[in-house]
Amino acid sequence: MTRRLAADSAGIAQAADILRGGGLVAFGTETVYGLGADATNAHAVARIFAAKQRPAFNPLISHFPDAASAFVHAHADARARRLAQRFWPGPLTLVLPRTADCAICDLAGAGLPSVAVRVPAGDVARALLAAAGVPVAAPSANPSGGVSPSRAEHVLDGLEGRIDAVLDSGPCAVGVESTIVDLTGPHPVLLRPGGIPIEALREICPDITLPHDSSDARPAAPGRLSSHYAPTLPVRLGAVSVAPDEALLAFGPELPGSSLTWNLSPGEKLEEAAARLFAGLRFLDMEGRRRGLRAIAVQPVPTHGLGAAIADRLSRAACPRT
Ligand code: TXA
Ligand code: MG
């Protein structure tokens, strides 16, 4: 049985107890719902992989209530401290060397010498992390390869009965996962575009390297499987027209001809589009299948700002399944 806990002080205390006892609790962050477990407890972390049916080589992000507690486990140089100061709490994950005191288990870190740490925004998430008092490993709370959850109901759709509880803090404000920056080398490397746009990171790290514009040997971003965020219906990008048997994921003025449309942002606002992306993919997939539609056609979305994260998630959703 999966308990649905209200995001009040009693619910937060119960959720923290479950985490400390080695259980699994899904909780809302500003990006997506995470599936949390005590990152220092390898048995608890193993349950995350089992519940998600996730390939075990994929390392997890550990979550903390503040930068000071994160930097007990992850070694922060001056760049890391500047980024944390500017963007935490918020949708930024830093990949840093483990400290000598690092208690994050090898399974959560997939045996790597580095760890990924983040301080999420959101009062409920931070209250839970503070009450838990341990680093909380949390991938997105969906079966591996599926669409990330931006509401408690989405978590239950995929994981009901496989996890102990979901702490319902309502819909996620940002809607796409955190931006991941690797600081283990001489230059910061963007491993995943996300809720903090690259343009904002450049103000603090002008030498940040993009995934595709570098001839440097790039550190591998383990777990960045190309097919991901995948609905069951095929996804067709860059649609300039839509067939009658396709659902339409629109942005701005809608293409004519579809009987089933989810508009990410009629007013062409990228923040709104990011927040509505995963809910839209879920809706079109479920309702499109019910109506016997063949595919999801996606109108072009600009790629600046949060558009880079949206484009990344859409291209993975469209990737042929292997
Ligand atoms: O917004 C988010 O980041 C959400 C919420 C729940 O916080 N979490 C999330 O976690 O998206 P997940 O597990 O879906 O993505 C973790 C990513 C993976 O692509 C993984 O490869 C990368 O972080 N990662 C974790 N540790 C790493 C490390 N030591 N080196 C390189 N990449 C790492
Ligand atoms: Mg995920």
Side-chain angles (χ1 to χ4, degrees):
M1 255 304 288
T2 300
R3 283 147 79 192
R4 188 169 181 152
L5 301 173
D8 53 19
S9 51
I12 290 169
Q14 275 182 308
D17 280 347
I18 295 170
L19 286 174
R20 276 196 307 269
L24 298 186
V25 177
F27 63 100
T29 75
E30 81 283 36
T31 60
V32 299
Y33 274 73
L35 179 55
D38 176 354
T40 68
N41 176 338
H43 289 287
V45 173
R47 292 188 60 205
I48 293 182
F49 291 110
K52 281 184 64 94
Q53 296 173 294
R54 179 177 210 176
F57 48 75
N58 200 353
L60 306 176
I61 298 169
S62 291
H63 297 68
F64 299 87
D66 49 50
S69 48
F71 295 156
V72 170
H73 304 272
H75 175 73
D77 60 11
R79 302 170 303 179
R81 289 184 190 280
R82 279 201 306 276
L83 286 168
Q85 174 82 29
R86 172 76 179 77
F87 296 111
W88 281 354
L92 176 68
T93 293
L94 300 177
V95 174
L96 299 170
R98 283 172 175 267
T99 59
D101 292 337
C102 184
I104 296 166
C105 67
D106 281 336
L107 185 58
L112 295 167
S114 55
V115 282
V117 295
R118 125 170 163 87
V119 176
D123 295 344
V124 174
R126 292 180 72 205
L128 173 65
L129 295 169
V134 289
V136 174
S140 53
N142 53 276
S144 191
V147 179
S148 299
S150 51
R151 316 183 71 108
E153 301 85 77
H154 301 164
V155 175
L156 293 170
D157 286 347
L159 297 175
E160 168 97 72
R162 306 178 69 93
I163 64 176
D164 299 299
V166 54
L167 183 63
D168 185 355
S169 53
C172 303
V174 175
V176 289
E177 293 86 346
S178 60
T179 301
I180 304 179
V181 176
D182 183 343
L183 290 176
T184 57
H187 298 285
V189 179
L190 182 85
L191 295 183
R192 176 175 76 182
I196 301 288
I198 179 83
E199 293 89 337
L201 291 173
R202 279 218 185 87
E203 289 171 18
I204 298 202
C205 294
D207 61 336
I208 189 164
T209 312
L210 287 172
H212 302 298
D213 71 355
S214 166
S215 52
D216 295 345
R218 217 163 40 87
R224 303 241 45 212
L225 306 173
S226 47
S227 172
H228 213 102
Y229 308 98
T232 54
L233 287 178
V235 173
R236 182 169 73 83
L237 301 181
V240 291
S241 66
V242 57
D245 60 353
E246 287 181 315
L248 177 65
L249 188 67
F251 180 82
E254 289 163 19
L255 292 171
S258 174
S259 57
L260 179 65
T261 297
W262 177 283
N263 200 324
L264 291 170
S265 176
E268 302 182 63
K269 302 260 188 307
L270 289 168
E271 289 72 18
E272 180 184 33
R276 289 171 52 76
L277 175 66
F278 291 137
L281 284 172
R282 282 171 184 275
F283 168 75
L284 294 178
D285 193 33
M286 198 178 63
E287 187 59 21
R289 262 185 303 155
R290 202 181 64 80
R291 297 188 191 188
L293 301 184
R294 176 175 62 76
I296 299 172
V298 182
Q299 285 183 230
V301 177
T303 55
H304 62 265
L306 281 184
I310 296 171
D312 174 79
R313 305 307 185 268
L314 284 172
S315 70
R316 286 167 199 284
C319 210
R321 321 289 145 76
T322 48

Short mmCIF file of all heavy atoms in Angstrom, two decimals, residues 254-305:
data_model
loop_
_atom_site.label_atom_id
_atom_site.label_comp_id
_atom_site.label_asym_id
_atom_site.label_seq_id
_atom_site.Cartn_x
_atom_site.Cartn_y
_atom_site.Cartn_z
N GLU A 254 -2.08 27.43 -32.46
CA GLU A 254 -2.18 25.99 -32.74
C GLU A 254 -2.34 25.69 -34.21
O GLU A 254 -3.10 26.36 -34.90
CB GLU A 254 -3.38 25.42 -31.96
CG GLU A 254 -3.10 25.37 -30.48
CD GLU A 254 -4.38 25.22 -29.64
OE1 GLU A 254 -5.41 24.79 -30.19
OE2 GLU A 254 -4.30 25.53 -28.44
N LEU A 255 -1.64 24.64 -34.70
CA LEU A 255 -1.85 24.15 -36.06
C LEU A 255 -3.29 23.66 -36.16
O LEU A 255 -3.80 23.03 -35.22
CB LEU A 255 -0.91 22.97 -36.34
CG LEU A 255 0.58 23.29 -36.43
CD1 LEU A 255 1.37 21.98 -36.51
CD2 LEU A 255 0.86 24.16 -37.65
N PRO A 256 -3.93 23.89 -37.29
CA PRO A 256 -5.30 23.40 -37.44
C PRO A 256 -5.32 21.90 -37.77
O PRO A 256 -4.33 21.37 -38.29
CB PRO A 256 -5.83 24.21 -38.64
CG PRO A 256 -4.61 24.57 -39.43
CD PRO A 256 -3.45 24.65 -38.46
N GLY A 257 -6.40 21.24 -37.41
CA GLY A 257 -6.61 19.88 -37.92
C GLY A 257 -6.55 18.77 -36.89
O GLY A 257 -6.86 17.64 -37.20
N SER A 258 -6.14 19.06 -35.65
CA SER A 258 -6.10 17.99 -34.66
C SER A 258 -7.36 18.02 -33.80
O SER A 258 -7.86 19.08 -33.45
CB SER A 258 -4.87 18.12 -33.77
OG SER A 258 -4.96 17.16 -32.74
N SER A 259 -7.83 16.83 -33.44
CA SER A 259 -9.02 16.76 -32.58
C SER A 259 -8.61 16.74 -31.10
O SER A 259 -9.45 16.82 -30.22
CB SER A 259 -9.80 15.50 -32.90
OG SER A 259 -8.95 14.37 -32.75
N LEU A 260 -7.32 16.59 -30.83
CA LEU A 260 -6.86 16.48 -29.44
C LEU A 260 -5.59 17.31 -29.28
O LEU A 260 -4.55 16.96 -29.85
CB LEU A 260 -6.58 15.01 -29.09
CG LEU A 260 -6.09 14.75 -27.67
CD1 LEU A 260 -7.16 15.11 -26.65
CD2 LEU A 260 -5.68 13.29 -27.51
N THR A 261 -5.68 18.40 -28.54
CA THR A 261 -4.54 19.32 -28.43
C THR A 261 -4.27 19.65 -26.97
O THR A 261 -5.19 19.79 -26.17
CB THR A 261 -4.86 20.63 -29.19
OG1 THR A 261 -5.03 20.33 -30.56
CG2 THR A 261 -3.72 21.65 -29.04
N TRP A 262 -2.97 19.75 -26.63
CA TRP A 262 -2.54 20.32 -25.34
C TRP A 262 -1.60 21.45 -25.70
O TRP A 262 -0.55 21.22 -26.32
CB TRP A 262 -1.81 19.27 -24.50
CG TRP A 262 -1.25 19.76 -23.19
CD1 TRP A 262 -0.11 20.49 -23.00
CD2 TRP A 262 -1.79 19.55 -21.88
NE1 TRP A 262 0.10 20.74 -21.67
CE2 TRP A 262 -0.92 20.17 -20.96
CE3 TRP A 262 -2.93 18.89 -21.40
CZ2 TRP A 262 -1.14 20.15 -19.58
CZ3 TRP A 262 -3.14 18.87 -20.02
CH2 TRP A 262 -2.26 19.49 -19.12
N ASN A 263 -1.97 22.67 -25.35
CA ASN A 263 -1.09 23.79 -25.68
C ASN A 263 -0.17 24.07 -24.49
O ASN A 263 -0.61 24.38 -23.39
CB ASN A 263 -1.91 25.03 -26.04
CG ASN A 263 -1.06 26.02 -26.83
OD1 ASN A 263 0.13 26.16 -26.57
ND2 ASN A 263 -1.67 26.68 -27.81
N LEU A 264 1.15 23.95 -24.74
CA LEU A 264 2.13 24.17 -23.67
C LEU A 264 2.06 25.61 -23.17
O LEU A 264 2.21 25.86 -21.98
CB LEU A 264 3.55 23.89 -24.19
CG LEU A 264 3.87 22.43 -24.47
CD1 LEU A 264 5.20 22.32 -25.20
CD2 LEU A 264 3.90 21.63 -23.17
N SER A 265 1.88 26.54 -24.09
CA SER A 265 1.75 27.95 -23.71
C SER A 265 1.19 28.74 -24.88
O SER A 265 1.94 29.08 -25.80
CB SER A 265 3.11 28.51 -23.28
OG SER A 265 2.97 29.89 -23.01
N PRO A 266 -0.11 29.04 -24.84
CA PRO A 266 -0.71 29.81 -25.94
C PRO A 266 0.01 31.15 -26.14
O PRO A 266 0.17 31.61 -27.27
CB PRO A 266 -2.16 30.01 -25.48
CG PRO A 266 -2.40 28.94 -24.47
CD PRO A 266 -1.08 28.65 -23.82
N GLY A 267 0.49 31.74 -25.03
CA GLY A 267 1.17 33.04 -25.12
C GLY A 267 2.68 32.91 -25.34
O GLY A 267 3.42 33.88 -25.18
N GLU A 268 3.17 31.69 -25.67
CA GLU A 268 4.58 31.43 -26.00
C GLU A 268 5.54 31.80 -24.86
O GLU A 268 6.59 32.37 -25.09
CB GLU A 268 4.97 32.14 -27.30
CG GLU A 268 4.08 31.69 -28.47
CD GLU A 268 4.47 32.33 -29.80
OE1 GLU A 268 5.61 32.07 -30.25
OE2 GLU A 268 3.66 33.07 -30.35
N LYS A 269 5.14 31.44 -23.63
CA LYS A 269 6.03 31.66 -22.48
C LYS A 269 6.76 30.36 -22.15
O LYS A 269 6.11 29.33 -21.88
CB LYS A 269 5.21 32.07 -21.25
CG LYS A 269 4.37 33.33 -21.45
CD LYS A 269 5.09 34.51 -20.83
CE LYS A 269 4.23 35.76 -20.81
NZ LYS A 269 3.68 36.12 -22.14
N LEU A 270 8.09 30.38 -22.15
CA LEU A 270 8.85 29.15 -21.94
C LEU A 270 8.70 28.60 -20.51
O LEU A 270 8.68 27.38 -20.32
CB LEU A 270 10.32 29.37 -22.28
CG LEU A 270 10.57 29.53 -23.78
CD1 LEU A 270 11.99 30.03 -24.05
CD2 LEU A 270 10.34 28.21 -24.51
N GLU A 271 8.58 29.46 -19.51
CA GLU A 271 8.40 28.98 -18.13
C GLU A 271 7.10 28.20 -18.02
O GLU A 271 7.05 27.13 -17.41
CB GLU A 271 8.37 30.14 -17.13
CG GLU A 271 9.72 30.82 -16.91
CD GLU A 271 10.16 31.67 -18.11
OE1 GLU A 271 9.30 32.02 -18.95
OE2 GLU A 271 11.36 31.97 -18.20
N GLU A 272 6.05 28.75 -18.63
CA GLU A 272 4.76 28.05 -18.59
C GLU A 272 4.86 26.72 -19.34
O GLU A 272 4.34 25.69 -18.90
CB GLU A 272 3.68 28.94 -19.21
CG GLU A 272 2.31 28.29 -19.21
CD GLU A 272 1.24 29.13 -19.90
OE1 GLU A 272 1.55 29.84 -20.88
OE2 GLU A 272 0.08 29.06 -19.48
N ALA A 273 5.54 26.73 -20.48
CA ALA A 273 5.66 25.52 -21.29
C ALA A 273 6.41 24.43 -20.52
O ALA A 273 6.03 23.26 -20.55
CB ALA A 273 6.37 25.83 -22.61
N ALA A 274 7.49 24.79 -19.82
CA ALA A 274 8.25 23.80 -19.03
C ALA A 274 7.35 23.20 -17.95
O ALA A 274 7.32 21.98 -17.76
CB ALA A 274 9.48 24.45 -18.41
N ALA A 275 6.61 24.06 -17.27
CA ALA A 275 5.77 23.57 -16.17
C ALA A 275 4.65 22.65 -16.67
O ALA A 275 4.18 21.79 -15.93
CB ALA A 275 5.18 24.76 -15.40
N ARG A 276 4.22 22.82 -17.93
CA ARG A 276 3.10 22.03 -18.46
C ARG A 276 3.56 20.86 -19.35
O ARG A 276 2.72 20.11 -19.87
CB ARG A 276 2.17 22.95 -19.27
CG ARG A 276 1.38 23.89 -18.39
CD ARG A 276 0.62 24.95 -19.19
NE ARG A 276 -0.22 24.43 -20.26
CZ ARG A 276 -1.40 23.84 -20.10
NH1 ARG A 276 -1.90 23.68 -18.88
NH2 ARG A 276 -2.10 23.40 -21.14
N LEU A 277 4.87 20.70 -19.54
CA LEU A 277 5.38 19.73 -20.51
C LEU A 277 5.01 18.28 -20.16
O LEU A 277 4.39 17.58 -20.96
CB LEU A 277 6.91 19.87 -20.62
CG LEU A 277 7.61 18.85 -21.50
CD1 LEU A 277 7.19 19.01 -22.96
CD2 LEU A 277 9.13 18.99 -21.37
N PHE A 278 5.41 17.81 -18.97
CA PHE A 278 5.22 16.39 -18.67
C PHE A 278 3.74 16.05 -18.50
O PHE A 278 3.30 14.97 -18.90
CB PHE A 278 6.03 15.99 -17.44
CG PHE A 278 7.52 15.99 -17.68
CD1 PHE A 278 8.40 16.53 -16.74
CD2 PHE A 278 8.06 15.47 -18.85
CE1 PHE A 278 9.77 16.53 -16.94
CE2 PHE A 278 9.45 15.46 -19.06
CZ PHE A 278 10.30 16.00 -18.11
N ALA A 279 2.97 16.99 -17.91
CA ALA A 279 1.53 16.74 -17.78
C ALA A 279 0.90 16.64 -19.17
O ALA A 279 -0.01 15.82 -19.41
CB ALA A 279 0.88 17.85 -16.96
N GLY A 280 1.38 17.46 -20.12
CA GLY A 280 0.84 17.42 -21.48
C GLY A 280 1.16 16.12 -22.19
O GLY A 280 0.29 15.52 -22.85
N LEU A 281 2.41 15.65 -22.05
CA LEU A 281 2.77 14.37 -22.68
C LEU A 281 1.92 13.24 -22.11
O LEU A 281 1.44 12.37 -22.84
CB LEU A 281 4.26 14.07 -22.46
CG LEU A 281 5.24 14.86 -23.34
CD1 LEU A 281 6.68 14.60 -22.88
CD2 LEU A 281 5.09 14.51 -24.82
N ARG A 282 1.72 13.25 -20.78
CA ARG A 282 0.89 12.21 -20.17
C ARG A 282 -0.54 12.27 -20.67
O ARG A 282 -1.14 11.25 -21.00
CB ARG A 282 0.84 12.40 -18.64
CG ARG A 282 2.05 11.94 -17.95
CD ARG A 282 2.01 12.35 -16.50
NE ARG A 282 3.26 11.94 -15.92
CZ ARG A 282 3.47 10.72 -15.44
NH1 ARG A 282 2.51 9.82 -15.42
NH2 ARG A 282 4.66 10.41 -14.98
N PHE A 283 -1.09 13.49 -20.72
CA PHE A 283 -2.49 13.64 -21.13
C PHE A 283 -2.67 13.18 -22.58
O PHE A 283 -3.58 12.40 -22.90
CB PHE A 283 -2.94 15.11 -20.97
CG PHE A 283 -4.25 15.37 -21.63
CD1 PHE A 283 -5.43 14.93 -21.05
CD2 PHE A 283 -4.31 16.04 -22.85
CE1 PHE A 283 -6.65 15.16 -21.68
CE2 PHE A 283 -5.52 16.26 -23.48
CZ PHE A 283 -6.69 15.82 -22.90
N LEU A 284 -1.81 13.65 -23.48
CA LEU A 284 -1.98 13.30 -24.90
C LEU A 284 -1.77 11.81 -25.12
O LEU A 284 -2.44 11.19 -25.96
CB LEU A 284 -1.02 14.12 -25.77
CG LEU A 284 -1.27 15.62 -25.81
CD1 LEU A 284 -0.22 16.31 -26.68
CD2 LEU A 284 -2.68 15.94 -26.33
N ASP A 285 -0.85 11.22 -24.37
CA ASP A 285 -0.58 9.79 -24.51
C ASP A 285 -1.80 8.97 -24.07
O ASP A 285 -2.29 8.09 -24.79
CB ASP A 285 0.64 9.43 -23.66
CG ASP A 285 1.18 8.05 -23.98
OD1 ASP A 285 1.09 7.63 -25.14
OD2 ASP A 285 1.70 7.41 -23.05
N MET A 286 -2.34 9.31 -22.90
CA MET A 286 -3.45 8.55 -22.34
C MET A 286 -4.73 8.74 -23.17
O MET A 286 -5.36 7.79 -23.61
CB MET A 286 -3.69 9.01 -20.90
CG MET A 286 -4.48 8.07 -20.05
SD MET A 286 -4.60 8.75 -18.37
CE MET A 286 -5.50 10.27 -18.69
N GLU A 287 -5.06 10.01 -23.42
CA GLU A 287 -6.29 10.31 -24.13
C GLU A 287 -6.17 9.93 -25.61
O GLU A 287 -7.12 9.44 -26.22
CB GLU A 287 -6.61 11.80 -23.94
CG GLU A 287 -7.94 12.26 -24.48
CD GLU A 287 -9.15 11.54 -23.88
OE1 GLU A 287 -9.04 10.97 -22.78
OE2 GLU A 287 -10.20 11.56 -24.55
N GLY A 288 -4.96 10.13 -26.18
CA GLY A 288 -4.73 9.76 -27.58
C GLY A 288 -4.89 8.26 -27.79
O GLY A 288 -5.52 7.81 -28.75
N ARG A 289 -4.36 7.46 -26.87
CA ARG A 289 -4.51 6.00 -26.98
C ARG A 289 -5.97 5.62 -26.86
O ARG A 289 -6.48 4.78 -27.59
CB ARG A 289 -3.70 5.31 -25.88
CG ARG A 289 -2.35 4.81 -26.38
CD ARG A 289 -1.64 4.04 -25.30
NE ARG A 289 -1.49 4.87 -24.12
CZ ARG A 289 -1.36 4.41 -22.88
NH1 ARG A 289 -1.36 3.13 -22.65
NH2 ARG A 289 -1.22 5.24 -21.87
N ARG A 290 -6.68 6.25 -25.91
CA ARG A 290 -8.09 5.94 -25.70
C ARG A 290 -8.89 6.20 -26.98
O ARG A 290 -9.82 5.47 -27.31
CB ARG A 290 -8.63 6.81 -24.55
CG ARG A 290 -9.88 6.25 -23.90
CD ARG A 290 -10.39 7.16 -22.79
NE ARG A 290 -10.82 8.46 -23.27
CZ ARG A 290 -12.00 8.70 -23.86
NH1 ARG A 290 -12.86 7.73 -24.00
NH2 ARG A 290 -12.30 9.92 -24.28
N ARG A 291 -8.49 7.24 -27.72
CA ARG A 291 -9.22 7.59 -28.94
C ARG A 291 -8.66 6.89 -30.18
O ARG A 291 -9.06 7.21 -31.30
CB ARG A 291 -9.15 9.10 -29.17
CG ARG A 291 -9.80 9.90 -28.08
CD ARG A 291 -9.83 11.35 -28.50
NE ARG A 291 -10.21 12.22 -27.40
CZ ARG A 291 -10.46 13.52 -27.55
NH1 ARG A 291 -10.35 14.08 -28.75
NH2 ARG A 291 -10.78 14.25 -26.52
N GLY A 292 -7.65 6.05 -30.01
CA GLY A 292 -7.09 5.32 -31.15
C GLY A 292 -6.20 6.17 -32.04
O GLY A 292 -6.00 5.84 -33.22
N LEU A 293 -5.64 7.26 -31.53
CA LEU A 293 -4.73 8.08 -32.34
C LEU A 293 -3.39 7.36 -32.49
O LEU A 293 -3.06 6.45 -31.73
CB LEU A 293 -4.55 9.46 -31.73
CG LEU A 293 -5.84 10.28 -31.57
CD1 LEU A 293 -5.53 11.68 -31.03
CD2 LEU A 293 -6.58 10.39 -32.90
N ARG A 294 -2.61 7.80 -33.48
CA ARG A 294 -1.42 7.08 -33.92
C ARG A 294 -0.14 7.66 -33.35
O ARG A 294 0.86 6.96 -33.20
CB ARG A 294 -1.43 7.17 -35.45
CG ARG A 294 -0.29 6.61 -36.21
CD ARG A 294 -0.59 6.70 -37.72
NE ARG A 294 -0.74 8.07 -38.21
CZ ARG A 294 0.26 8.92 -38.41
NH1 ARG A 294 1.49 8.58 -38.16
NH2 ARG A 294 0.02 10.15 -38.88
N ALA A 295 -0.12 8.96 -33.09
CA ALA A 295 1.14 9.60 -32.70
C ALA A 295 0.85 10.94 -32.04
O ALA A 295 -0.28 11.42 -32.03
CB ALA A 295 2.03 9.81 -33.93
N ILE A 296 1.92 11.51 -31.47
CA ILE A 296 1.84 12.87 -30.91
C ILE A 296 2.73 13.76 -31.77
O ILE A 296 3.94 13.53 -31.88
CB ILE A 296 2.33 12.90 -29.45
CG1 ILE A 296 1.46 11.99 -28.56
CG2 ILE A 296 2.35 14.34 -28.92
CD1 ILE A 296 1.97 11.82 -27.14
N ALA A 297 2.14 14.76 -32.42
CA ALA A 297 2.91 15.73 -33.22
C ALA A 297 3.23 16.92 -32.31
O ALA A 297 2.39 17.36 -31.54
CB ALA A 297 2.09 16.17 -34.42
N VAL A 298 4.47 17.41 -32.41
CA VAL A 298 4.93 18.48 -31.52
C VAL A 298 5.33 19.69 -32.35
O VAL A 298 6.19 19.60 -33.24
CB VAL A 298 6.14 18.02 -30.68
CG1 VAL A 298 6.59 19.11 -29.72
CG2 VAL A 298 5.81 16.75 -29.90
N GLN A 299 4.71 20.82 -32.07
CA GLN A 299 5.11 22.07 -32.75
C GLN A 299 6.47 22.54 -32.24
O GLN A 299 6.83 22.27 -31.09
CB GLN A 299 4.06 23.16 -32.49
CG GLN A 299 2.80 22.94 -33.30
CD GLN A 299 1.77 24.06 -33.10
OE1 GLN A 299 0.62 23.76 -32.83
NE2 GLN A 299 2.18 25.31 -33.23
N PRO A 300 7.22 23.27 -33.07
CA PRO A 300 8.54 23.75 -32.63
C PRO A 300 8.44 24.66 -31.40
O PRO A 300 7.49 25.42 -31.27
CB PRO A 300 9.04 24.54 -33.84
CG PRO A 300 8.25 24.04 -35.01
CD PRO A 300 6.92 23.62 -34.46
N VAL A 301 9.44 24.53 -30.53
CA VAL A 301 9.55 25.38 -29.34
C VAL A 301 10.93 26.05 -29.42
O VAL A 301 11.91 25.38 -29.76
CB VAL A 301 9.44 24.52 -28.05
CG1 VAL A 301 9.62 25.37 -26.80
CG2 VAL A 301 8.09 23.79 -27.99
N PRO A 302 11.05 27.35 -29.14
CA PRO A 302 12.37 28.01 -29.18
C PRO A 302 13.34 27.33 -28.22
O PRO A 302 12.92 26.76 -27.21
CB PRO A 302 12.09 29.44 -28.72
CG PRO A 302 10.62 29.62 -28.75
CD PRO A 302 9.98 28.27 -28.70
N THR A 303 14.64 27.41 -28.51
CA THR A 303 15.61 26.66 -27.71
C THR A 303 16.45 27.54 -26.78
O THR A 303 17.42 27.06 -26.20
CB THR A 303 16.55 25.84 -28.61
OG1 THR A 303 17.16 26.72 -29.55
CG2 THR A 303 15.79 24.75 -29.34
N HIS A 304 16.10 28.82 -26.62
CA HIS A 304 16.84 29.63 -25.64
C HIS A 304 16.22 29.45 -24.25
O HIS A 304 15.09 28.96 -24.13
CB HIS A 304 16.86 31.10 -26.06
CG HIS A 304 15.49 31.71 -26.13
ND1 HIS A 304 14.77 31.78 -27.30
CD2 HIS A 304 14.70 32.25 -25.17
CE1 HIS A 304 13.60 32.34 -27.05
NE2 HIS A 304 13.52 32.62 -25.78
N GLY A 305 16.96 29.88 -23.21
CA GLY A 305 16.43 29.82 -21.84
C GLY A 305 15.96 28.41 -21.49
O GLY A 305 16.64 27.43 -21.79
#
